[in-house]
C-alpha cells in the first residue's frame, strides 16, 4: 500500500487508515467490535500495508481506545496511533471542550487507555468557540514539548476556524496542525469549496472519515418508489442515524448508477470504486475505513489496488458535481484565468472542474 506524506510534515502514513468508531459498541450505528474482532481487523489491515489506526476518546466513552491499546500490546512500534479530544467524557463542567484543562487531562487519559507513552497524531475533534484558540494551541505545544504527542491535527473545522488556528500558531510560535480530518465523498463534495484548497495552499495532510458516506456508497442502497433511500433491514440510514444527511437524493441516485456501472466493468464492489476515486483526489492523504465486519474490511482494503481510468474518473466527477456556491460561481465566471494552483487543483471553480489524480497541488 502506498505510504504518503502527511502534509508538509516528515511523517508518512498509509493511504488507508483503520477506523475504530465501531470498537466497543457504544456507537451502535458503526458496529460492535470487541477485543478479538479488533485484533483480527488490525491484523488484516497490517497485512494489507495499513500503518495508521484512528480512534477518539469519545468513541464508546474511552472503550475504543482501551481496545486499541490492548490489541496492539507488543506491536506498538509497528503502528501510528491517532486519537482525538473535544467531546464530553464526563458530567463535570470541564469534561468537554478545548480548554487547557481538558486538552491536557484528555491526552493523559488517552495515553493510559492506549497503553502508550505517546500519541502520534492528536486531533481536535471539533471547534470550540468558547475557548481562545491560543489557549488550545499552547496546551498542544506543551504536550508536544513533553514528548506525549508527536503531531497535532484538527477535525470538522471550517476553513476560517482552521486558518485562525494556523495564523495564531505562526504568530505566537506555537505548534501548528499538520493535518485535518474531514468528511468528503462522492455523495458530498462541499470540502472542495475551501477545505481542500486550504490544505493545498497551507501544506496540510487530509484524512477522510466515513469515505463511503455512512454506507450510502456501498452499493446496498436503492431508490424507493417514492424517491426515498431504501436498503436492507437494519441499514444505518433506515434507522435513527442520519449522518451524513442526504440533501439531494436525485444526485445521490444518479451517482450510484454510475458507480455501479464502473464497478461492474471492473468486477468489484461499488465501495471499492468510491474509495479508489477518493484516494485519487488531490490533497487526500488517507481514507479511514470503519467496517462492521471482516468481510467489509477485506473488500474495502482491496480498493488500494484498484486503478480507475481517466474516463471513469471523469464520469464519477461529472455526475456527483455539486452546484457552485457564491463566491465560487462568480470566480468561475470572471477570474478562472487567475485562480492559482490550489483553487485550480482542488475545486470545480475552474472550467474543467477538479483535477485528476496525477495533478500537482503545489
Amino acid at each position: 500500500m502506498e505510504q504518503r506524506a502527511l502534509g508538509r510534515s516528515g511523517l508518512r502514513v498509509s493511504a488507508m487508515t483503520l477506523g475504530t468508531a465501531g470498537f466497543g459498541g457504544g456507537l451502535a450505528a458503526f458496529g460492535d467490535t470487541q477485543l478479538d474482532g479488533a485484533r483480527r481487523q488490525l491484523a488484516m489491515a497490517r497485512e494489507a500495508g495499513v500503518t495508521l489506526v484512528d480512534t477518539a476518546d469519545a468513541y464508546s466513552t474511552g472503550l475504543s481506545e482501551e481496545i486499541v491499546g490492548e490489541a496492539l500490546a507488543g506491536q506498538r512500534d509497528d503502528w501510528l496511533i491517532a486519537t482525538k479530544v473535544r467531546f464530553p467524557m464526563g458530567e463535570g463542567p470541564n469534561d468537554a471542550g478545548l480548554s487547557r484543562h481538558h486538552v491536557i487531562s484528555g491526552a493523559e487519559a488517552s495515553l493510559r487507555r492506549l497503553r502508550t507513552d505517546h500519541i502520534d497524531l492528536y486531533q481536535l475533534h471539533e471547534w470550540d468557540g468558547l475557548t481562545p484558540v491560543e489557549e488550545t494551541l499552547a496546551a498542544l505545544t506543551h504536550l508536544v514539548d513533553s514528548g506525549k504527542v508527536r503531531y497535532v491535527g484538527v477535525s470538522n473545522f471550517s476553513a476560517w476556524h482552521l486558518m485562525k488556528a494556523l495564523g495564531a500558531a505562526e504568530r505566537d510560535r506555537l505548534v501548528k496542525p499538520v493535518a485535518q480530518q474531514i468528511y468528503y465523498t462522492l455523495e458530498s463534495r462541499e470540502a472542495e469549496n475551501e477545505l481542500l484548497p486550504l490544505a493545498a495552499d497551507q501544506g496540510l495532510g487530509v484524512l477522510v472519515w466515513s469515505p463511503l458516506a455512512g454506507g450510502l456508497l456501498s452499493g446496498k442502497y436503492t431508490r424507493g418508489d417514492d424517491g426515498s433511500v431504501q436498503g436492507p433491514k437494519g441499514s444505518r440510514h433506515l434507522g435513527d442515524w442520519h449522518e451524513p444527511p442526504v440533501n439531494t437524493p436525485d444526485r445521490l441516485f444518479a451517482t450510484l448508477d454510475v458507480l455501479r456501472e464502473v464497478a461492474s466493468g471492473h468486477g468489484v464492489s461499488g465501495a471499492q470504486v468510491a474509495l479508489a476515486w477518493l484516494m485519487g483526489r488531490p490533497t487526500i492523504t488517507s481514507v479511514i475505513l470503519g467496517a462492521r465486519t471482516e468481510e467489509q474490511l477485506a473488500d474495502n482494503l482491496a480498493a488500494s489496488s484498484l486503478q480507475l481510468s481517466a474516463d471513469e474518473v471523469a464520469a464519477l466527477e461529472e455526475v456527483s458535481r455539486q452546484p457552485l456556491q457564491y463566491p465560487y460561481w462568480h470566480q468561475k465566471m470572471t477570474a478562472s484565468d487567475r485562480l492559482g494552483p490550489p483553487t485550480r487543483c482542488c475545486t470545480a471553480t475552474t472550467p474543467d472542474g477538479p483535477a485528476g489524480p496525477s495533478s500537482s497541488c503545489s
Side-chain angles (χ1 to χ4, degrees):
M1 181 176 296
E2 184 182 1
Q3 303 294 316
R4 301 176 173 180
L6 188 64
R8 291 183 187 146
S9 78
L11 193 66
R12 301 187 74 83
V13 303
S14 48
M16 288 180 164
T17 295
L18 183 65
T20 66
F23 286 14
L27 294 170
F30 293 90
D32 184 12
T33 301
Q34 300 302 320
L35 180 58
D36 288 344
R39 284 175 170 152
R40 290 192 295 270
Q41 286 199 17
L42 285 160
M44 291 172 62
R46 195 68 187 89
E47 178 67 22
V50 174
T51 59
L52 177 62
V53 58
D54 179 78
T55 186
D57 57 2
Y59 295 166
S60 298
T61 321
L63 184 54
S64 175
E65 289 184 326
E66 290 182 14
I67 291 173
V68 170
E70 188 168 353
L72 291 184
Q75 307 175 53
R76 178 63 181 93
D77 292 341
D78 297 330
W79 286 91
L80 298 170
I81 296 177
T83 192
K84 311 179 193 74
V85 64
R86 161 62 170 84
F87 290 117
M89 291 299 290
E91 299 297 327
N94 293 304
D95 290 338
L98 295 179
S99 66
R100 177 181 290 104
H101 173 88
H102 187 63
V103 168
I104 293 177
S105 63
E108 291 172 343
S110 289
L111 288 168
R112 290 191 295 269
R113 288 188 290 264
L114 290 165
R115 303 186 183 188
T116 186
D117 63 355
H118 72 278
I119 296 164
D120 296 291
L121 178 62
Y122 199 40
Q123 301 158 107
L124 308 178
H125 209 161
E126 179 67 89
W127 176 253
D128 176 3
L130 300 182
T131 301
V133 69
E134 294 84 356
E135 178 179 334
T136 303
L137 292 170
L140 292 173
T141 301
H142 166 76
L143 290 170
V144 171
D145 289 345
S146 67
K148 295 178 180 179
V149 168
R150 299 280 171 85
Y151 298 89
V152 302
V154 303
S155 182
N156 303 311
F157 276 35
S158 71
W160 79 264
H161 292 153
L162 182 47
M163 283 305 303
K164 182 174 183 177
L166 291 171
E170 185 163 348
R171 181 195 65 213
D172 297 341
R173 298 185 179 181
L174 299 171
V175 66
K176 293 177 70 173
V178 301
Q180 60 174 332
Q181 187 174 141
I182 65 172
Y183 175 65
Y184 173 52
T185 70
L186 273 168
E187 182 275 333
S188 183
R189 293 172 52 185
E190 295 94 338
E192 292 173 1
N193 289 339
E194 294 194 348
L195 290 174
L196 295 187
L198 185 159
D201 182 69
Q202 297 296 309
L204 297 176
V206 179
L207 310 177
V208 178
W209 60 264
S210 197
L212 296 178
L216 287 173
L217 301 175
S218 65
K220 63 185 177 183
Y221 290 95
T222 59
R223 187 200 302 258
D225 293 337
D226 59 353
S228 63
V229 177
Q230 301 293 315
K233 184 178 181 180
S235 298
R236 186 186 309 181
H237 283 272
L238 301 185
D240 295 330
W241 188 267
H242 300 293
E243 184 181 299
V246 181
N247 296 319
T248 53
D250 288 342
R251 185 170 64 239
L252 168 63
F253 292 123
T255 300
L256 288 175
D257 289 341
V258 176
L259 194 69
R260 293 189 185 97
E261 181 179 350
V262 174
S264 177
H266 286 271
V268 300
S269 68
Q272 288 190 38
V273 174
L275 292 170
W277 177 87
L278 193 54
M279 286 188 289
R281 305 307 283 172
T283 78
I284 302 304
T285 308
S286 188
V287 297
I288 301 173
L289 309 179
R292 285 173 170 267
T293 68
E294 292 163 37
E295 291 76 19
Q296 289 177 348
L297 180 58
D299 182 76
N300 290 178
L301 289 168
S304 65
S305 60
L306 177 61
Q307 296 292 321
L308 302 178
S309 70
D311 287 344
E312 290 168 337
V313 170
L316 289 165
E317 195 284 322
E318 181 177 4
V319 73
S320 63
R321 187 182 302 171
Q322 300 181 2
L324 289 177
Q325 299 175 334
Y326 176 81
Y328 309 108
W329 58 260
H330 197 275
Q331 292 174 359
K332 181 176 181 179
M333 292 172 61
T334 65
S336 60
D337 60 329
R338 296 182 64 87
L339 291 176
T343 304
R344 297 190 68 85
C345 173
C346 302
T347 79
T349 305
T350 53
D352 298 327
S358 61
S359 297
S360 169
C361 291
S362 59

